[in-house]
């Protein structure tokens, strides 16, 4: 089943959910960062972000040479 986000945005399968942080991450210009386009990210990062964004517990993740921080809504 395809979500409404997957139909609209290529990185929607990484930045899942309706939360504020998921929306902000989908809208961010990742190509202009050292991480590059989300479609090219390692699977370990993609999976970690899916877990982070769908968790009801407070979580954060630091990743990459410049240590980009990702947070969830909690």
């Amino acid at each position: 089943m395809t979500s409404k986000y997957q139909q609209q945005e290529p990185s929607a399968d990484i930045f899942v959910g309706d939360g504020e942080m998921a929306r902000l991450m989908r809208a961010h210009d990742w190509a202009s960062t050292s991480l590059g386009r989300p479609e090219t990210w390692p699977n370990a990062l993609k999976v970690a972000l899916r877990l982070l964004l769908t968790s009801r517990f407070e979580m954060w993740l630091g990743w990459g040479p410049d240590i980009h921080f990702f947070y969830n809504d909690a």
Side-chain angles (χ1 to χ4, degrees):
M1 183 171 159
T2 304
S3 76
K4 63 182 176 180
Y5 300 111
Q6 288 172 326
Q7 294 170 0
Q8 296 171 358
E9 303 171 38
S11 60
D13 63 326
I14 301 167
F15 307 120
V16 297
D18 293 323
E20 180 181 0
M21 291 308 298
R23 284 192 301 273
L24 288 170
M25 289 180 195
R26 283 192 297 271
H28 188 72
D29 179 16
W30 293 106
S32 68
T33 72
S34 62
L35 293 176
R37 292 183 10 255
E39 297 81 16
T40 67
W41 293 355
N43 282 332
L45 176 55
K46 294 177 185 180
V47 169
L49 286 171
R50 288 183 202 116
L51 289 170
L52 179 141
L53 289 170
T54 58
S55 177
R56 62 185 175 117
F57 298 101
E58 296 174 358
M59 298 176 80
W60 66 270
L61 170 69
W63 192 278
D66 297 327
I67 312 293
H68 292 276
F69 286 94
F70 299 90
Y71 303 88
N72 64 2
D73 289 334

